[in-house]
Amino acid sequence: MTLIEDKHKNDITCLVRPEVLKLPAYGAGQTLIQAKDKCPNVAMVNLSVNENPFGVSESAQNAITEVIADSARYPDSQCSNLRAGLASKLNFPEQRIIIGNGSEDILALLCKAFVNASDDVLIAKPTFSLHSIYVKMMGANIIEVPMNDKMEYDTDKWLNKISTLPRLKMLMLANPSNPVGCSLDKPNLAACISACPKDTLIVIDEAYFEFAQGDRNFADSLTLLSAQSRSWIILRTFSKAYGLAGLRVGYGLVSNSKIIDYLDRVRTPYNVNSTAQAAASAVLKDQAYLKTTVDLIKVERERIIPILEKLGVFVAPSSANFLFIDTRSNASDVANRLLIEGIMVKPWNELNYDTYIRVTIGLTEQNNHFVQALKKVLTGKL
Ligand SMILES: *Cc1c(COP(=O)(O)O)cnc(C)c1O
């Protein structure tokens, strides 16, 4: 770096908000192309970001082809078609649905609109890193509730923490959890919500809803929250089961349309592009694609758990399309060695969890490839 660049860097640092100076960057990890460049001699499989292994549905591809010629026009700022489609599918009022550029966009909007500096926000540990990053961006306090030893949500710990936070602004949890995969059932989720102060905003992030829907141990938040007279938002996405991660579409269901009026004030007006809107509307109606995806993932998940356990690792309970695995070795080392075998996973680089990797359930051959690679890496280490 030249002296001039150095001086400029110092100057700009003085201008940055203190919250931003302290903010950790989101660790998106390497792309499939970067991993292939690093290890050109293996067939690389990306099992690190919980994508749909079937790729984009034909229904979405056709919709994209149809609308792409209209790309000279601005998209519908209100996402009217997609909201109408969701409203009819979920039997939920259209005015209480917001669409985001991914559900992470809506997480950011929530923080911008509702979270003040020094507010208290309660989240899980470990959890999706954007649950804390956007909160920290506003200068608010993060309070974390760890999972229990079996890597499940620990309701007693949540209730204890909540009882110490009389001014709790927001409770935010992923159900099922990312990265763990465990889910909260109805009585336990209801207990946590009821324990919160009346004006706490409840945020349930259901990015993996489609995989958990109907499970006995998974709370139907929409029914549960609809019966409550308090403020809440449920977040879902087209990135996981619906296979549109690259197009960025997520949605929020809210307790009262007033929440959307406020979120709209901090939203960029054209946050969801027209191709993404059309693709999401199309795949939403594609029941066959969703069913094929969800059925295969669940069968494969249950198939490989006992095989992995035989390797001597701990596998956390999962209602989602991934597994959180305690390799009992340094997770980054394991991930680097898996990369050489052609498998990308997410090593969890967080204190107390840094022996865990998160691996996405893929197609049958991909899962077999992963199991073989992990076996090789772990036996190589012992
Ligand atoms: C993947 C994921 C998201 C983000 O989804 P996008 O819609 O792609 O932004 C949000 N929350 C959790 C818990 C996730 O795992």
Side-chain angles (χ1 to χ4, degrees):
M1 194 183 285
T2 69
L3 269 176
I4 293 168
E5 278 173 346
D6 208 15
K7 180 166 179 293
H8 181 71
K9 179 170 165 260
N10 290 340
D11 290 345
I12 203 75
T13 303
C14 304
L15 301 179
V16 178
R17 289 174 53 222
E19 292 83 1
V20 175
L21 274 183
K22 284 186 281 181
L23 212 55
Y26 179 72
Q30 59 193 336
T31 65
L32 180 60
I33 291 168
Q34 288 163 341
K36 279 179 175 164
D37 282 348
K38 232 189 240 177
C39 308
N41 299 322
V42 288
M44 192 63 70
V45 184
N46 190 354
L47 302 179
S48 73
V49 279
N50 302 340
E51 294 158 342
N52 187 321
F54 289 101
V56 186
S57 73
E58 236 179 87
S59 52
Q61 292 195 34
N62 291 338
I64 291 165
T65 309
E66 237 171 74
V67 296
I68 202 82
D70 271 339
S71 296
R73 300 185 191 286
Y74 280 99
D76 173 1
S77 161
Q78 300 302 318
C79 300
S80 315
N81 275 338
L82 180 54
R83 285 168 65 225
L86 284 164
S88 104
K89 178 161 181 176
L90 303 171
N91 192 23
F92 191 82
E94 195 174 324
Q95 320 83 265
R96 287 165 55 197
I97 303 175
I98 183 168
I99 312 294
N101 186 37
S103 55
E104 66 192 28
D105 181 26
I106 306 175
L107 280 171
L109 298 181
L110 280 168
C111 290
K112 287 178 191 166
F114 291 102
V115 177
N116 277 305
S118 80
D119 274 350
D120 291 334
V121 175
L122 192 60
I123 65 170
K125 181 187 173 72
T127 195
F128 185 52
S129 64
L130 293 179
H131 286 185
S132 65
I133 290 179
Y134 294 138
V135 173
K136 287 176 184 163
M137 174 178 81
M138 307 312 296
N141 306 320
I142 292 281
I143 300 113
E144 297 175 311
V145 186
M147 299 287 177
N148 68 17
D149 293 343
K150 290 190 247 159
M151 295 307 269
E152 297 159 334
Y153 277 111
D154 188 331
T155 306
D156 287 341
K157 280 191 196 146
W158 281 84
L159 297 180
N160 279 336
K161 267 287 188 270
I162 292 166
S163 70
T164 66
L165 300 167
R167 293 159 55 85
L168 180 61
K169 182 62 167 281
M170 186 186 281
L171 174 147
M172 180 158 46
L173 64 82
N175 198 29
S177 149
N178 176 11
V180 179
C182 62
S183 52
L184 262 173
D185 63 11
K186 191 174 177 186
N188 284 291
L189 182 60
C192 292
I193 292 168
S194 306
C196 290
K198 271 210 287 298
D199 55 359
T200 302
L201 178 57
I202 307 293
V203 182
I204 307 296
D205 183 344
E206 292 188 336
Y208 303 95
F209 169 78
E210 295 80 9
F211 300 103
Q213 185 178 20
D215 282 6
R216 209 164 26 91
N217 62 352
F218 175 71
D220 174 358
S221 306
L222 187 51
T223 308
L224 174 67
L225 288 166
S226 293
Q228 307 242 342
S229 51
R230 61 180 312 141
S231 298
W232 50 265
I233 178 163
I234 295 169
L235 299 175
R236 294 188 190 153
T237 181
F238 285 90
S239 296
K240 311 285 162 54
Y242 283 109
L244 292 180
L247 287 183
R248 319 300 306 121
V249 195
Y251 62 97
L253 308 172
V254 304
S255 54
N256 187 305
S257 60
K258 262 194 192 158
I259 294 180
I260 294 186
D261 293 344
Y262 293 122
L263 295 179
D264 275 347
R265 296 184 193 191
V266 292
R267 173 171 75 83
T268 58
Y270 303 109
N271 60 333
V272 185
N273 70 67
S274 37
T275 308
Q277 291 186 34
S281 289
V283 74
L284 185 66
K285 295 189 198 113
D286 191 345
Q287 285 308 315
Y289 176 83
L290 187 68
K291 188 175 178 344
T292 307
T293 297
V294 170
D295 287 355
L296 176 99
I297 300 297
K298 286 188 185 174
V299 167
E300 280 294 297
R301 186 182 69 207
E302 298 312 305
R303 179 179 74 85
I304 68 167
I305 289 172
I307 303 175
L308 291 167
E309 285 172 340
K310 279 204 193 107
L311 300 180
V313 298
F314 168 75
V315 184
S318 176
S319 321
N321 66 336
F322 57 84
L323 295 172
F324 200 46
I325 301 170
D326 186 356
T327 65
R328 308 183 209 276
S329 304
N330 179 277
S332 293
D333 291 347
V334 172
N336 285 333
R337 295 184 57 175
L338 284 171
L339 195 67
I340 295 167
E341 302 297 324
I343 299 283
M344 299 168 70
V345 300
K346 175 133 179 146
W348 207 258
N349 298 318
E350 183 178 358
L351 192 66
N352 296 328
Y353 303 100
D354 54 9
T355 55
Y356 280 86
I357 56 170
R358 190 195 64 200
V359 61
T360 309
I361 307 295
L363 303 174
T364 306
E365 320 81 76
Q366 298 172 334
N367 302 327
N368 290 340
H369 181 175
F370 164 68
V371 169
Q372 286 311 314
L374 186 66
K375 186 175 181 181
K376 185 168 170 191
V377 167
L378 292 179
T379 49
K381 272 192 132 41
L382 294 173

